[in-house]
Amino acid sequence: MKKMLIIAVMAILSLSLATGCSKGGSVSTDGSTSMEKVIGSLAEAYMLANDSVSVTYNPTGSGSGITAVAEGRCDIGLSSRYLKAEEEANGLTATILAYDGIAIIVHPDNPVAALTLEQIAAVFTGEITDWSELGGESGSIVLIGREAGSGTRDGFESIVGVEEQCAYRQELTSTGDVITTVASNPNAIGYASLAAIKDNVKMISVDGVIPSEDAVKDGSYKVQRPFLLVTKAGSELSADAQAFFDYITSPNAAEIISAAGAVPAN
């Protein structure tokens, strides 16, 4: 937290120069729960430099955030999956803010530390059902995932190649809930944004690579997806929303995004 605050404060001078003094207003964001740490850190830094501007974040999930911006209920939608063709046809456009690894997580006491992409697919489709089949202790594998419409779920299932095939025990509505549930069950396995991982769970290496910012950046960690800013094509943002958008997509914001655990696109 101290590191995040220091970096946020360091960004204030460049942010102030980039945005100038604001006359006040508000900016509303809505969507991906996986983007909470990134967007929260950016909003904090921006409001420190523009104390009369309020930036709000509504953690509803990627699908809901995309719908919210399409219906005009927020300024900027947040999505941790690419837009679908029908969403683009509906007049939406996406800007990549950052890239994020999707970590495969287990309970800290689970002795299994490495899986291949093929093994992960077999686990989540129910082909492999016991930890002993993976070199662990005997115990039925409990699959924890996200709800339909989640960007994290969409990203995980599409990368692993298990769309509409996963035999989840629980489908939860936030990244935090997945992490908490896996942390409380020694036989559980799930997936969550790298930016949100805490030390109450253990990350599994995938094809020999542990998820990290460097591994996401160089492409060696295969289970990764974008963090997107979704807006209406051909529709102007308010002055305050545009100023916030311009800042968070500029090189001035890169250090804050990195400190929040994601890889900046710029």
Side-chain angles (χ1 to χ4, degrees), residues 177-192:
D177 286 343
V178 170
I179 293 171
T180 299
T181 302
V182 172
S184 66
N185 189 335
N187 287 324
I189 185 171
Y191 49 81

Side-chain angles (χ1 to χ4, degrees), residues 2 5 24 40 50 80 88 95 147 154 166 209-210 228-229 238 254 260:
K2 289 183 178 179
L5 183 59
N50 298 273
S80 51
E88 293 180 330
T95 301
E147 81 287 5
D154 182 87
C166 294
V209 180
I210 287 284
L228 303 179
L229 305 175
S238 69

